[in-house]
Amino acid sequence: MEQGLGSNYIPTSGGPVDKSRVLNVRPLRCLVPIFPSPPGMSSFSSPQTAPFMCVPPTGPFPPGVAPFYPFLVPTETQAVHSGFSNTIPSPVPINSFRTPISAVANGGTGLSRRSSKNRTPEGAVMDEDYSDSPNQSDFSMHVADHDHEYTTRKAGKRKGNSQKKTRNDVDIDSVANSFLASFNLTGVDTYRQVDGDKELIRYILMMYDLLRRRITQVEDGKEATPGVTRRPDLRAGTILMNKGVRTNVNKRIGAVPGIEVGDIFFFRMELCLVGLHAPIMAGIDFMSFKDIQGGERLAVSVISSGGYDDNTEDGDVLIYSGQGGNINRKDKDVEIMDQKLERGNLALEKSLRRANEVRVIRGVKDAVNPTGKVYLYDGLYTVQQSWVEKGKSGVNVFKYKLVRVPGQPEAFTMWKSIQQWREEDTATSRTGVILPDLTSGAENLPVSLVNDVDDEKGPAYFTYFASLKYQKPFNLPKPSLSCSCRGGCQPGDLNCPCVQKNAGVLPYTALGVLLIYKSLINECGPSCLCPPNCRNRISQAGLKIRLEVFKTKDKGWGLRSWDPIRAGAFVCEYAGEVIDVSTAQELEREKEDNYIFYATGTTGSLEVTPGNFKETPRIPFPIVISAKNCGNVARFMNHGCTPNIYWQPVLRESDNESYLHIAFFAISHIPPMKELTYDYGTAQSGKAEQRKKKCLCGSLNCRGHFY
DNA sequence: CAGTCTCAGTTGTAT
DNA sequence: ACAACTGAGACTGTA
């Protein structure tokens, strides 16, 4: 035990853009991390022999065809001892750190206990009926068994007060239930995973994001109730926690399976769901060991998010402030007092003596969305010193010096470098910068051109053009309605024709993040009267993310981002010249054009989401785009069999004319400087063999070629 | 020892 | 400005 605590770190191989971190997801343009292999057939254990799973390229893809993720429960031995031991550092047997009783009682099974009782035999959720129960004492008992924990807590707290579910709660409940139903998750939560892996984590985060965005969408269409703060992040998190859609529930010291140094998160809830940091508010997570003499407790992770006066000047050292003392409590009438050596502070003190590794998560400002925060997992640290000092508020504050364990991939230091490049504007301090802005101002953000790999001075000549050149638009048989929302289209405005075209809901959040996956997005067109910053013109508004074109090791030029990218965020569109199919085929034959994008019928964007959230992309009329002579950053995006970007058809209509565009969105959260890739797709016609190319994406289930 | 209660503890969003 | 909600620990009830 003793020696185990200090020595359970095995550096993950490779740097921050290590190919091994690419998720093991089924090929094709599939948004869903799909888990075709039952335990034992995991492609982790046999990456070479993993069968190439292929959806017929011509479709059709009726709803429900894609296997939803069954939440296979791998036995612990498989998870720990089979393929995983090679890829995920877990040198200390997980069991030896598992809190014997208390953590289990308070953690996982606690939830399971509560949430599995209230099922009818059919597994239906008992939901609405109790809300009018006149018997208040009975009521709390009834509610204590209720499915939704948040309701329970509310009701428990406000015993005797208003216990009616608001209309709002009911709405969200039904949304959540239908959401979960589409995952076949309304049943008893036997799905909780002991240990995660990359796919599971990706899947959970995707579910979280979908549900959160879905709730946002429902809330969005409604009038804001004064005095009620809408927290879709908490709502979605609570629901998934109660359903057991989470992993790494048991706390552990050191690395967390499936999470890599440099991974980013946008909500505290996400950290909780994947088991990186359990408390949703507190900055210090710790676990106790009853088997150690005196029931010692050790810190397992800390979040430095700016609430306290932490020092983060040196990227590899963190001066962390203890918790408590009411220093950050905004409530009135709370007295600020000296911090005590208890809870997290005590745990950090013990961790100093035991020298165990502590995960550090750094909360940093999001350049794209200044009101939000990004949580950056910065790897393992050890506590080196502790002391007490008088803080700004005049009370005693505990301070802990944490030092980063060497040999880990860059994360926070990379972040700091990027900040510096940003401030310098010209990025002169950086080696390998060829051009500070290859667009020559054609985009509203610069796009740098960098080569720190070899001597090549840049890609072949082309004209930078930020959008699509149509020779002639598609003519509509009957005129399309344009909106007249001078203040921008509003989510709840059912009179707006643009909202109507999108089945009654705007496809984007207020931050410009795609809300749900649709077969086709109808944006406002040239004749709409709404302003250019209308929420329904996201793909027309230009770059929002600071991108750079860089020389890859073996795939020519590629695209990556300085900014962290949220799942669902718009990245760029595919610019170029719209050409006709026959021209394209000619170019193909002569191997003239490697920059052709086909959006023709059923091929292409097969990105789908699980369950009912899947929609087959609908392309109203086929287009072929050539970006050989003119194009934008999208022409540099490489193919990846496990992509982090997908494309989506977007229609912009104007009176009798219709323009189809191809917009790229992030599949998952993408850390800065990670290469952006999308799936170039599979063969859709006999001619396709001519386009077949060898794939160098390097992902675990690379299918070896693309088109 | 199991169940119930209290409260510390910050965040994200609305104003 | 504010309400959101988990988990730990304290407390209570039962075997």
Side-chain angles (χ1 to χ4, degrees):
Chain A
M1 202 64 191
E2 285 278 344
Q3 62 267 51
L5 293 179
S7 61
N8 61 348
Y9 175 68
I10 292 177
T12 46
S13 58
V17 281
D18 178 6
K19 296 299 183 301
S20 71
R21 60 168 296 140
V22 176
L23 294 161
N24 173 28
V25 175
R26 190 168 69 163
L28 293 180
R29 294 165 189 235
C30 190
L31 242 193
V32 206
I34 289 171
F35 300 72
S37 30
M41 282 185 58
S42 160
S43 46
F44 271 108
S45 44
S46 55
Q48 254 58 47
T49 56
F52 166 41
M53 307 255 320
C54 186
V55 180
T58 50
F61 301 92
V65 138
F68 64 87
Y69 175 41
F71 270 90
L72 298 168
V73 184
T75 65
E76 217 165 306
T77 39
Q78 278 166 328
V80 177
H81 300 299
S82 71
F84 289 104
S85 54
N86 296 330
T87 42
I88 293 162
S90 62
V92 177
I94 310 289
N95 282 322
S96 63
F97 283 115
R98 186 161 301 143
T99 316
I101 297 149
S102 60
V104 173
N106 279 325
T109 36
L111 287 167
S112 160
R113 187 197 325 120
R114 282 180 295 227
S115 54
S116 53
K117 273 197 242 172
N118 57 317
R119 305 281 171 186
T120 62
E122 302 81 32
V125 179
M126 294 167 69
D127 206 349
E128 320 293 359
D129 295 338
Y130 65 83
S131 59
D132 290 318
S133 166
N135 186 335
Q136 304 220 329
S137 53
D138 268 56
F139 175 77
S140 64
M141 288 301 293
H142 191 152
V143 168
D145 278 348
H146 189 260
D147 197 54
H148 304 289
E149 191 65 9
Y150 61 87
T151 326
T152 309
R153 298 206 171 251
K154 262 189 211 161
K157 268 184 190 163
R158 300 179 195 158
K159 206 178 271 185
N161 294 342
S162 156
Q163 291 162 352
K164 276 207 172 180
K165 267 190 160 189
T166 64
R167 170 94 195 105
N168 203 20
D169 283 338
V170 176
D171 280 2
I172 300 297
D173 282 356
S174 62
V175 165
N177 282 332
S178 69
F179 176 84
L180 294 164
S182 74
F183 289 84
N184 204 23
L185 271 179
T186 48
V188 186
D189 53 348
T190 51
Y191 307 109
R192 182 175 293 107
Q193 299 285 287
V194 175
D195 285 345
D197 57 58
K198 286 183 207 168
E199 292 183 32
L200 179 56
I201 280 165
R202 177 170 157 139
Y203 191 84
I204 288 170
L205 289 178
M206 180 179 290
M207 274 188 82
Y208 175 74
D209 220 59
L210 281 171
L211 182 57
R212 192 183 55 78
R213 288 189 252 170
R214 185 82 177 183
I215 292 171
T216 306
Q217 195 177 41
V218 172
E219 299 268 357
D220 230 20
K222 289 187 285 208
E223 289 281 309
T225 330
V228 176
T229 319
R230 302 194 284 210
R231 294 290 302 267
D233 58 318
L234 296 181
R235 273 296 180 77
T238 304
I239 291 165
L240 293 189
M241 295 277 273
N242 289 338
K243 293 291 182 189
V245 185
R246 58 187 298 194
T247 188
N248 298 316
V249 176
N250 296 311
K251 292 188 182 183
R252 69 191 71 216
I253 286 175
V256 174
I259 297 182
E260 301 200 6
V261 175
D263 281 354
I264 56 169
F265 304 88
F266 288 81
F267 293 91
R268 283 287 296 254
M269 268 297 184
E270 293 178 329
L271 303 172
C272 192
L273 290 167
V274 300
L276 192 59
H277 186 91
I280 61 166
M281 299 173 92
I284 307 169
D285 192 9
F286 52 86
M287 62 187 287
S288 42
F289 296 88
K290 289 236 166 96
D291 48 336
I292 294 182
Q293 201 193 1
E296 191 158 88
R297 81 171 39 150
L298 298 174
V300 294
S301 64
V302 298
I303 299 184
S304 166
S305 53
Y308 291 87
D309 195 17
D310 297 344
N311 185 331
T312 59
E313 222 119 281
D314 181 337
D316 287 328
V317 177
L318 171 64
I319 307 298
Y320 191 79
S321 306
Q323 63 186 179
N326 293 332
I327 289 171
N328 287 322
R329 291 198 59 150
K330 301 233 164 56
D331 327 25
K332 295 160 231 150
D333 313 328
V334 284
E335 190 191 346
I336 296 175
M337 55 176 103
D338 288 349
Q339 291 186 342
K340 298 192 195 91
L341 190 57
E342 57 182 23
R343 296 162 177 271
N345 299 348
L346 185 58
L348 278 168
E349 200 66 44
K350 297 283 185 189
S351 287
L352 166 64
R353 291 208 280 138
R354 290 257 176 197
N356 69 293
E357 286 147 336
V358 177
R359 298 185 292 273
V360 168
I361 297 126
R362 305 219 187 212
V364 285
K365 218 181 218 142
D366 183 356
V368 181
N369 165 223
T371 56
K373 216 181 261 179
V374 179
Y375 296 95
L376 172 66
Y377 175 47
D378 197 33
L380 303 176
Y381 283 62
T382 51
V383 188
Q384 302 277 343
Q385 272 178 51
S386 74
W387 64 95
V388 177
E389 63 182 47
K390 280 261 183 281
K392 279 180 186 155
S393 42
V395 296
N396 285 338
V397 174
F398 285 92
K399 293 280 178 177
Y400 300 90
K401 182 184 182 191
L402 289 102
V403 178
R404 197 162 193 253
V405 174
Q408 303 179 83
E410 257 194 301
F412 184 58
T413 47
M414 166 74 76
W415 195 281
K416 294 188 97 137
S417 304
I418 295 171
Q419 293 314 112
Q420 207 174 341
W421 304 341
R422 218 188 287 274
E423 283 159 24
E424 284 170 5
D425 207 42
T426 50
T428 41
S429 72
R430 224 182 138 190
T431 55
V433 179
I434 299 168
L435 284 172
D437 180 17
L438 71 84
T439 80
S440 312
E443 299 278 8
N444 43 19
L445 286 176
V447 176
S448 39
L449 179 66
V450 181
N451 182 355
D452 51 12
V453 175
D454 57 32
D455 294 334
E456 196 179 338
K457 284 295 170 216
Y461 177 82
F462 74 103
T463 307
Y464 197 97
F465 187 69
S467 190
L468 211 48
K469 282 185 183 169
Y470 264 92
Q471 262 141 22
K472 60 174 171 56
F474 185 81
N475 286 319
L476 292 168
K478 53 182 174 186
S480 151
L481 289 172
S482 300
C483 76
S484 48
C485 310
R486 293 187 183 275
C489 301
Q490 297 304 319
D493 184 3
L494 292 175
N495 295 323
C496 167
C498 302
V499 171
Q500 286 168 8
K501 284 179 198 169
N502 285 300
V505 279
L506 283 185
Y508 304 108
T509 67
L511 290 173
V513 174
L514 200 60
L515 273 164
I516 52 175
Y517 302 95
K518 295 173 67 84
S519 57
L520 178 68
I521 291 172
N522 283 277
E523 286 198 358
C524 293
S527 53
C528 290
L529 295 176
C530 59
N533 67 353
C534 168
R535 219 214 240 193
N536 197 30
R537 290 183 185 273
I538 296 300
S539 80
Q540 319 167 27
L543 299 185
K544 289 279 189 297
I545 292 163
R546 184 73 161 83
L547 299 167
E548 86 172 16
V549 173
F550 73 108
K551 185 74 192 283
T552 63
K553 287 205 173 63
D554 52 7
K555 295 183 294 184
W557 299 90
L559 188 65
R560 64 189 178 194
S561 164
W562 288 13
D563 296 325
I565 305 176
R566 269 174 200 254
F570 169 71
V571 176
C572 62
E573 80 161 298
Y574 198 97
E577 297 167 281
V578 177
I579 58 176
D580 34 21
V581 180
S582 58
T583 316
Q585 283 170 350
E586 205 161 301
L587 289 168
E588 289 292 345
R589 255 194 302 282
E590 291 157 23
K591 307 240 183 232
E592 273 289 302
D593 196 339
N594 284 329
Y595 298 96
I596 291 184
F597 191 102
Y598 288 86
T600 49
T602 55
T603 64
S605 193
L606 302 180
E607 62 287 332
V608 285
T609 57
N612 301 336
F613 288 80
K614 186 176 76 159
E615 279 191 42
T616 309
R618 183 160 56 85
I619 294 171
F621 53 92
I623 58 166
V624 180
I625 306 167
S626 168
K628 183 178 169 62
N629 299 319
C630 87
N632 68 348
V633 286
R635 74 197 288 284
F636 294 105
M637 224 187 313
N638 285 311
H639 163 84
C641 291
T642 310
N644 47 21
I645 301 282
Y646 75 101
W647 64 269
Q648 160 85 55
V650 175
L651 204 60
R652 305 175 198 162
E653 291 177 336
S654 152
D655 297 334
N656 293 317
E657 297 174 343
S658 182
Y659 300 87
L660 184 66
H661 291 256
I662 301 302
F664 291 95
F665 295 90
I667 294 174
S668 50
H669 302 330
I670 307 172
M673 303 305 273
K674 193 171 157 68
E675 182 174 7
L676 308 180
T677 58
Y678 70 100
D679 195 319
Y680 281 16
T682 48
Q684 71 270 46
S685 74
K687 304 264 196 247
E689 278 303 307
Q690 295 163 7
R691 300 208 307 275
K692 191 164 171 175
K693 294 181 193 70
K694 188 169 185 281
C695 182
L696 299 166
C697 82
S699 82
L700 278 173
N701 53 351
C702 173
R703 43 180 200 271
H705 61 263
F706 60 88
Y707 295 91

